Amino acid sequence: MLGQLTEEQIDHVLHGQILGRIGCCANNRIYIVPVTYVYRQGYIYAHSKEGQKVQMMRNNPNVCFQVDAMENMTNWRSVIVWGEYEELKTAKEQEEGVKIMTDRLAPFVTSETVRPSQGSSRAPEIVEKGFRAVVYRVKVLEKTGRFEKNG
């Protein structure tokens, strides 16, 4: 059976996962990449190093975000979110964003690319290999979800 997820089910998927895909567009070029994220109070929090994705989102803050919860090929849920990129710029905003991510992601941290600031709740003012850490969130403006359930 195929169907639409309710708002509550959509939020359940967003809260239950930590890996999604963010899509952005600038200069007639679309870019989609996986990101580690936390969903909280209508926002998707994430971090990145300074680079193509961040530059594109600064140029065009309209983004799309997608996440799946798959049990198998015939039992899955998928959510798509449209929203607006918001870079957390002040030290206080960055610290709050990093804390939200650290609190949720700490049990899953296994690699440098997942750590929202070297495991610290301080603002990520680090520069590593020429890249500055950027903490951001996506304000959710619209969301939809589908599912398939068999057996």
Side-chain angles (χ1 to χ4, degrees), residues 61-99:
N62 298 309
V63 300
C64 186
F65 183 81
Q66 191 272 334
V67 64
D68 294 311
M70 287 196 64
E71 294 173 36
N72 56 51
M73 294 301 286
T74 60
N75 291 284
W76 52 263
R77 293 164 290 154
S78 181
V79 169
I80 295 177
V81 167
W82 292 271
E84 191 170 3
Y85 169 81
E86 297 178 0
E87 193 166 325
L88 304 180
K89 294 184 178 180
T90 70
K92 183 179 179 188
E93 289 174 332
Q94 290 177 357
E95 287 172 12
E96 289 171 359
V98 168
K99 179 161 179 24

Side-chain angles (χ1 to χ4, degrees), residues 18-22 33-37 44 46-48 53 65 136:
I18 60 170
L19 182 64
R21 288 156 211 85
I22 195 160
V33 292
V35 295
T36 307
Y37 79 96
I44 294 165
H47 73 286
S48 179
K53 171 180 66 229
F65 183 81
Y136 65 93

Side-chain angles (χ1 to χ4, degrees), residues 12-32:
H12 183 75
V13 172
L14 288 168
H15 282 293
Q17 303 300 309
I18 60 170
L19 182 64
R21 288 156 211 85
I22 195 160
C24 48
C25 182
N27 302 318
N28 292 321
R29 187 170 189 158
I30 299 168
Y31 190 57
I32 301 169

